[in-house]
Amino acid sequence: MTEAPVALATTNWAGNHTYRATELRRPESLAELQETITNARQVRVLGSRHSFTAIGDSAELVSLEAMTSDRVDVSSDRRTVTVDAGLRYGELAAALHREGLALHNLASLPHISIAGAVATATHGSGVGNGNLATAVAGLELVTSSGELVRCARGDADFDGMVVGLGALGAVTRMTLDVEPAFDVQQRVFEQLPWDTLYGNLDEVLSAGYSVSLFTGLGPSVDMIWVKSRTDVAGSPAGDLFGAVEAATERHPLPGIDPAPTTAQLGSPGRWSDRLPHFRMGFTPSNGNEIQSEYLLPRTAGVEALEVLRSLAHRIRPLLQVCEIRTVAADELWMSTAYGQPTLGLHFTWLPAQADVEELLVELEARLLALGARPHWGKLFLADAATLAPRYPRHADFLALVDRLDPRGTFRNDWLERHVLDNV
């Protein structure tokens, strides 16, 4: 017998979306999850609620929290681990630390669930680092028929199933690539002139293992956060193309206490304590915000930055901060970095949804003209007809959705509008 539903937290993390479901199922076993999905007319898996849209909404919602432990099963060659997909990255990092292992990268926030981050191609930064989904070597999911499907790297459907947008089934377990644990040191550099960035964009973005630029679109780039592995030579110090190293710790958002941020000032620490911007035990970012992000070919980087600066008079009144990052190319069908080295333009907005959406009409159109792909978990406007041509395997993904979910159990209005509509 499936467990009784519990009351649902009514909004996402940012509070800009209210879930239409009023009850949340919390199965405690795979068998209970299979029964719940088989009996559902429409259902989605609710993760850490860090998406800023209705991508995770449905008439019915299910949580995997009661099925999730922090146990990691390490392969005999210690090159992969298998974990529950509902685990959060901060919890996974702690479990990997006990094994002396690490992931290749982490996103800005360690609070997000593995399954949700992978399904939306969420990423950290670094010209040589693929997004979090590229670490997936295998996965298990429950389809709308209740069948448990396993898929591994090299299988015919694997590249289509990893960034699945929640449209294929409920992902229950994942196998992830790992490597021996490593240390990272983080430094912040301040006030880089725009002209200097334009003339040295690739070099600035390659200054460390993971690099993030933060700007309020003022006269200069406010900060460059450089995260360098201690087992690789070449960590910058003192000066970076004229930007001066900060003498005290900084928060990405101006005027906010840096206590929630990971340690800076060049102090070495565990990979998991430096690669995110925020510590697991604190509220990430600001919390009172909306986010958008557009991923473009890195070759269009200067043009994209010029778009932002030309619209700065409209952007700044709504902007908390803009972050500029890089992602390595991959072959995952619905990844925003599919087939191309990528530059990410991330916007943390004030919580003014109507005004942000009005601004996005022009901002998004101009970035789309440069080849942008919007982040699947953040606020954007483009419909499926606009986005489909940007994904060469889009038609194959639609066929995969139809095959694994023929009765449309995992579909919702957001997916129909932005991904699945006939184009």
Side-chain angles (χ1 to χ4, degrees):
M1 179 72 68
T2 301
E3 85 297 339
V6 297
L8 171 69
T10 57
T11 69
N12 63 347
W13 167 71
N16 73 310
H17 175 74
T18 300
Y19 295 105
R20 61 192 180 98
T22 57
E23 294 178 342
L24 178 66
R25 298 281 179 178
R26 291 173 52 88
E28 297 182 0
S29 67
L30 177 60
E32 286 187 1
L33 175 65
Q34 291 170 307
E35 181 183 355
T36 295
I37 290 174
T38 302
N39 292 334
R41 185 180 61 83
Q42 282 195 315
V43 68
R44 300 281 285 178
V45 178
L46 185 69
S48 54
R49 298 186 292 120
H50 274 79
S51 293
F52 292 82
T53 70
I55 186 173
D57 206 353
S58 184
E60 300 177 50
L61 291 171
V62 61
S63 167
L64 303 185
E65 285 183 347
M67 296 173 54
T68 299
S69 78
D70 64 355
R71 189 188 83 233
V72 297
D73 296 329
V74 182
S75 64
S76 58
D77 62 5
R78 295 182 61 81
R79 296 177 64 182
T80 63
V81 297
T82 300
V83 299
D84 291 333
L87 198 63
R88 298 178 189 233
Y89 275 97
E91 299 161 342
L92 173 60
L96 290 179
H97 173 65
R98 295 193 292 268
E99 298 287 344
L101 297 171
L103 298 172
H104 78 288
N105 209 355
L106 289 169
S108 299
L109 312 180
H111 311 68
I112 55 180
S113 68
I114 300 170
V118 165
T120 54
T122 293
H123 58 93
S125 189
V127 295
N129 299 326
N131 61 38
L132 302 183
T134 62
V136 177
L139 57 84
E140 299 178 1
L141 62 79
V142 176
T143 68
S144 57
S145 67
E147 179 186 3
L148 182 65
V149 173
R150 294 182 174 89
C151 193
R153 186 181 288 134
D155 292 347
D157 294 331
F158 177 79
D159 286 344
M161 291 180 67
V162 177
V163 182
L165 307 178
L168 305 174
V171 178
T172 56
R173 299 273 284 168
M174 282 190 173
T175 299
L176 305 174
D177 296 331
V178 291
E179 59 185 276
F182 55 90
D183 283 351
V184 172
Q185 55 189 17
Q186 178 171 227
R187 289 185 167 92
V188 175
F189 300 86
E190 298 181 294
Q191 304 308 316
L192 179 70
W194 285 104
D195 288 345
T196 303
L197 178 62
Y198 287 175
N200 301 275
L201 183 59
D202 287 342
E203 292 82 359
V204 171
L205 294 171
S206 304
Y209 183 73
S210 172
V211 176
S212 292
L213 284 65
F214 292 95
T215 177
L217 298 178
S220 61
V221 177
D222 299 301
M223 292 181 289
I224 309 165
W225 288 39
V226 180
K227 304 167 191 279
S228 302
R229 290 180 61 144
T230 60
D231 57 353
V232 177
S235 174
D239 178 278
L240 182 64
F241 292 95
V244 178
E245 186 173 355
T248 59
E249 294 195 334
R250 297 287 189 254
H251 191 288
L253 300 178
I256 294 184
D257 186 340
T261 64
T262 50
Q264 302 156 33
L265 306 179
S267 171
R270 294 204 308 243
W271 63 281
S272 54
D273 293 336
R274 297 294 184 274
L275 291 176
H277 297 329
F278 300 98
R279 304 175 196 257
M280 184 66 175
F282 289 82
T283 299
S285 191
N286 183 11
N288 194 19
E289 64 194 62
I290 297 171
Q291 295 180 11
S292 300
E293 187 172 23
Y294 297 91
L295 291 301
L296 301 99
R298 266 180 56 197
T299 53
V302 171
E303 292 177 272
L305 294 175
E306 288 178 336
V307 167
L308 302 194
R309 295 186 68 199
S310 72
L311 293 175
H313 63 289
R314 294 192 59 199
I315 294 173
R316 276 199 299 263
L318 294 170
L319 183 68
Q320 297 194 51
V321 75
C322 173
E323 181 179 4
I324 303 163
R325 294 180 285 180
T326 55
V327 189
D330 62 59
E331 296 301 319
L332 305 176
W333 296 356
M334 299 305 290
S335 168
T336 46
Y338 179 90
Q340 62 190 23
T342 297
L343 182 79
L345 302 178
H346 179 277
F347 303 91
T348 299
W349 305 110
L350 295 172
Q353 180 119 1
D355 293 334
V356 170
E357 289 184 358
E358 182 180 354
L359 169 62
L360 290 183
V361 171
E362 182 175 1
L363 174 59
E364 182 175 293
R366 293 183 62 177
L367 294 177
L368 290 174
L370 297 176
R373 297 165 175 162
H375 189 297
W376 293 116
K378 299 176 183 179
L379 182 65
F380 67 90
L381 306 177
D383 60 15
T386 301
L387 297 180
R390 297 162 196 272
Y391 293 89
R393 303 298 299 271
H394 184 268
D396 295 322
F397 182 72
L398 294 190
L400 186 60
V401 171
D402 288 341
R403 178 154 53 86
L404 292 183
D405 185 22
R407 64 189 183 96
T409 302
F410 293 98
R411 291 174 178 255
N412 66 8
D413 292 343
W414 187 95
L415 280 170
E416 296 292 348
R417 181 167 61 254
H418 297 291
V419 183
L420 302 178
D421 271 353
N422 292 327
V423 295

